[in-house]
Amino acid sequence: MDSIKIRGARVHNLKNISIDIPRDKLVVVTGVSGSGKSSLAFDTIYAEGQRRYMESLSSYARQFLGLPDKPDVELIEGLSPAIAINQKTTNNNPRSTVGTVTEIYDYLRLLFARVGKAHCPKCGKPVRSMSLDQILTQILKLDEGTRFTLLAPVVNHRKGTHKDVLDRLSAAGFVRVKVDGVIRDLGEKISLAKTKKHSIDLVVDRLIKRDGIRSRLADSLETALKFGNGIVFVETDSETLTFSERNACVDCGISLPDITPQLFSFNSPKGACPTCSGLGKIFDVREWSTMYEWMAAVHDFKTTDLPEDVCPACHGHRLKPEALSVRVGDMNIAEVCAMSVDACKNFFATLALDGADKKIAAQVLKEINSRLNFLCDVGLDYLSLSRKSATLSGGESQRIRLATQIGSALTGVLYVLDEPSIGLHQHDNQKLLATLKNLRDLGNTLIVVEHDEETIRAADNIVDIGRGAGKFGGSVIAQGTADAIARAKNSLTGDYLSGRKKILVPSTRRPIDRMLTFADACKNNLKNITVNVPLNALTLVTGVSGSGKSTLVEEIIFPHLQETLPDGVSKVTMIDQDPIGRTPRSNIATYTGVADHIRKLFAETNGAKVRGYKAGRFSFNVKGGRCESCGGNGVLRIPMNFLPDVFVTCDVCGGKRFNAETLEVTYKGANIADVLSMPVDDALEFFANVPTIRRMLQVLHDVGLGYIELGQSANTFSGGEAQRVKLAYELARPLGRAANIYIMDEPTTGLHFDDVSKLIDVIQRLVDRGDTVIIIEHNLDVIKCADYIIDLGPEGGDRGGQLVACGTPEDVARVDTSYTGQALRKILP
């Protein structure tokens, strides 16, 4: 079949849609937030593809995996096995890193185990193990006629008289020893000071290099290695050669374990630093009031919330000294992983190996280099392999998984992606598009939920869902090429692609009267830069991925402002994309405080007064009004022992979360459950005459969240939705006596052109009332509306961290070395 045929899709707000999506093409699904894009791409197409694949497995396998519910659709034909690449963090486990996720670290472990050169962890001298035959061959390379002595080290820099050692050697029939550098006869009395350190080497044999000594030399070598515990010295008139059957340092007396891949694993007892158990950090449990809090924090792997210090034993490298002493090209495995992907790629490109090592490492290096190239192809060349997965943004996490899929070289697969362009500068976008097209050209189908204009125009086919959000969305408005979408009169996407609608550049920029100076910023890759941030203005911090934007704003500017607020500023607030609540009980109504006003409103109705109900009766978190069968959750969790837990709708309240008595109380014909199931836009109309509620709902509508239900669980929100809820909350708060400073990181995440237009209006309202807004952003429509830009770069990672340009968008556009400036030239008047 040449298409995926969908008939009668009704998942969430999809309005019984039917559509044919071409196979083996790059297909973009677009539309405003809440229009139903994800419902079509992920909850219908991917869910059914995954369900059918799992259905094909054996009943034994399915009992461990569980079979997902069938999406509400009449027919889907032409599906392939589906893989979803979304924005969820790859792994919150503190042991997970970029290197482990991409499997590059596994190949590095193999490389270091096979061709790595061991060094003494104490003195740093090379350590090498050789077989008896190899040692024999090396000795026979001495010049003809060379006199040499075989010595076996039996005591190495140890205090004592060592009488028992000397007696044992004498009883074994040996004649001479070398004590502290002097040859002594075992027949004489040898007295050693008990409090001083001594070295004793057994003289095993004295030989001259000539033909016919091989047999005697082999026997003597075997004896020397036996008494020297695997080590032998070959002393000539000009030098002393050291050979060892095991990895050991003769000078320091340190023995190294067998060099295997496990030695380089911080998840194995053989390689992990014993002090920090391979985490690189140590955590202080004394900061917790109870052991329960500590256990809960560790269980959730939220190590970023724990008081932590770099491990004093391994200095954050996670491995034992023995592992860190093995080097390839003068670098240990931790030093290689600490480099950026780009620097790592250059390191292996110039790595010189000789003879057998070159042949042994060839296949391993091929795998390492290909994976490094894939990471560069998706714009992640600035990341280090030791970077923890939990610290990656959603976009970075998604692109890592994308790079991994490229490496698998599968064909005939259906890939479903969620905004892979998030976090990418325009300069990096072409790399991503080339990667997506490469996956397509391998014979795969790509369905990409996306808002980026460049990605939309590069698609083979576009599906525009809308026209609005929530109940006003869920329909296929237009389908075809970018030109076809632009001609569709009812398409909001087409309006912006054709220029019928556009986000205008402000006619004037706000004057800059006062600057805050942050001098000598040098954290992470920042190159000791000094930046100025204007007050009472909209400032955009821009630059390619990895250029240092987040470090500057979140680790320099924000902490400094928290410690020292400028005059005339009441507070500084970071409006980030962290969840607004970690439990299903948290929702948009509870977070914004709207729920309190709604409960009070219900408590003032005649129905409530007659029954004596107070406001608490209308909370599903309080006994009395909630359904006690499900505890106000609306669902029941059924434990399945070794199988995944099953969640079923509560058969007592029908998922409404309240008991029947509470639901009998109504306001304007709707009970509390009806109200919580209303989208913000419906609730705005419903509470039009209640100013305390209407004000907050209006702001939620203004930031593009009109489609979210008041009672929708907060843990289902995307990062962008959570950020806009926080923004709405701040905007709705009454003005204080002093202005505020707000900091945001990519608030346009997940937003359509039309939603971005609304968001810009809301942000400008904050600045117009006297607040200062600082935003990290790549979206050119937001950047062009700034009063002031701080552009970092010029590249990412080690080649970033410099101040490339600053000033108005027009000023930055005139800087040739600025990638942001180059992009701005194309859109500024």
Side-chain angles (χ1 to χ4, degrees), residues 282-297:
I282 54 174
F283 306 103
D284 189 357
V285 299
R286 293 172 298 179
E287 295 290 332
W288 274 265
S289 58
T290 67
M291 182 56 71
Y292 171 78
E293 292 179 0
W294 160 251
M295 292 174 65

Side-chain angles (χ1 to χ4, degrees), residues 10-85:
R10 295 177 293 272
V11 176
H12 300 148
N13 69 330
L14 296 181
K15 294 187 171 58
N16 200 41
I17 67 172
S18 296
I19 186 173
D20 291 349
I21 296 176
R23 287 174 54 84
D24 304 331
K25 300 293 183 184
L26 172 58
V27 179
V28 166
V29 182
T30 190
V32 298
S33 298
S35 61
K37 305 181 299 298
S38 295
S39 295
L40 175 62
F42 286 92
D43 301 330
T44 302
I45 299 173
Y46 167 69
E48 180 64 6
Q50 188 77 346
R51 189 189 70 83
R52 291 185 185 180
Y53 169 71
M54 293 171 66
E55 203 173 42
S56 70
L57 301 176
S58 67
S59 58
Y60 177 78
R62 290 203 305 271
Q63 71 174 327
F64 297 105
L65 297 173
L67 194 62
D69 293 335
K70 188 179 189 304
D72 188 4
V73 59
E74 291 178 7
L75 172 71
I76 300 185
E77 292 181 349
L79 276 179
S80 301
I83 295 175
I85 305 178

Side-chain angles (χ1 to χ4, degrees), residues 421-681:
S421 68
I422 285 177
L424 277 185
H425 191 275
Q426 291 74 25
H427 179 66
D428 301 313
N429 223 16
Q430 285 299 326
K431 294 180 183 177
L432 174 66
L433 289 174
T435 299
L436 295 178
K437 291 176 180 178
N438 181 35
L439 263 183
R440 175 202 62 191
D441 295 341
L442 285 173
N444 299 302
T445 304
L446 277 74
I447 298 179
V448 184
V449 176
E450 188 57 90
H451 298 106
D452 175 69
E453 181 175 351
E454 196 171 9
T455 307
I456 292 172
R457 293 189 181 277
D460 301 313
N461 191 269
I462 303 165
V463 178
D464 189 35
I465 305 292
R467 166 175 171 98
K471 68 179 183 180
F472 300 108
S475 299
V476 177
I477 301 301
Q479 184 181 11
T481 63
D483 290 339
I485 300 297
R487 291 193 298 269
K489 300 300 182 184
N490 194 38
S491 168
L492 268 176
T493 304
D495 289 342
Y496 285 91
L497 290 178
S498 66
R500 295 190 295 270
K501 281 190 174 185
K502 59 180 66 177
I503 298 173
L504 299 175
V505 177
S507 56
T508 59
R509 310 288 181 188
R510 293 181 181 88
I512 306 300
D513 299 322
R514 184 181 169 199
M515 288 275 202
L516 300 177
T517 299
F518 300 88
D520 304 324
C522 56
K523 194 168 186 179
N524 296 337
N525 70 331
L526 294 180
K527 307 290 195 300
N528 206 40
I529 63 173
T530 296
V531 298
N532 295 313
V533 178
L535 284 172
N536 310 121
L538 173 58
T539 298
L540 269 291
V541 181
T542 61
V544 299
S545 301
S547 59
K549 304 183 297 297
S550 296
T551 299
L552 175 64
V553 175
E554 298 176 7
E555 300 184 43
I556 301 292
I557 294 176
F558 181 55
H560 181 81
L561 291 175
Q562 283 183 306
E563 292 179 6
T564 309
L565 279 175
D567 293 336
V569 175
S570 64
K571 67 169 185 173
V572 57
T573 302
M574 174 75 73
I575 306 178
D576 55 29
Q577 297 192 13
D578 290 343
I580 62 173
R582 298 190 183 275
T583 70
R585 295 181 179 276
S586 178
N587 54 51
I588 202 170
T590 57
Y591 181 84
T592 60
V594 165
D596 295 334
H597 296 294
I598 292 174
R599 287 196 291 268
K600 289 177 183 177
L601 195 62
F602 270 87
E604 292 170 0
T605 62
N606 291 332
K609 289 178 180 178
V610 168
R611 294 170 173 81
Y613 293 168
K614 303 299 183 184
R617 179 83 188 193
F618 302 96
S619 170
F620 49 69
N621 294 320
V622 180
K623 284 187 176 182
R626 71 183 184 186
C627 170
E628 290 304 326
S629 176
C630 62
N633 288 312
V635 294
L636 297 173
R637 183 169 67 95
I638 311 299
M640 299 296 288
N641 295 331
F642 58 88
L643 296 179
D645 293 343
V646 174
F647 292 87
V648 297
T649 301
C650 175
D651 56 356
V652 176
C653 67
K656 293 185 177 180
R657 312 179 93 172
F658 296 91
N659 58 36
E661 291 75 20
T662 304
L663 295 176
E664 289 177 0
V665 179
T666 62
Y667 172 78
K668 293 174 62 175
N671 60 37
I672 185 66
D674 296 331
V675 169
L676 291 178
S677 65
M678 291 181 182
V680 166
D681 285 346

Side-chain angles (χ1 to χ4, degrees), residues 342-394:
D342 189 50
C344 196
K345 179 181 169 184
N346 292 333
F347 169 74
F348 285 114
T350 57
L351 179 63
L353 296 174
D354 298 324
D357 284 351
K358 185 176 183 179
K359 187 174 182 180
I360 293 169
Q363 188 60 37
V364 182
L365 286 174
K366 179 182 177 183
E367 296 292 340
I368 292 172
N369 287 325
S370 66
R371 283 164 170 76
L372 291 172
N373 283 326
F374 294 147
L375 288 173
C376 291
D377 289 344
V378 294
L380 295 176
D381 54 333
Y382 60 91
L383 292 180
S384 67
L385 296 179
S386 59
R387 172 86 171 263
K388 290 182 180 179
S389 298
T391 66
L392 298 171
S393 69

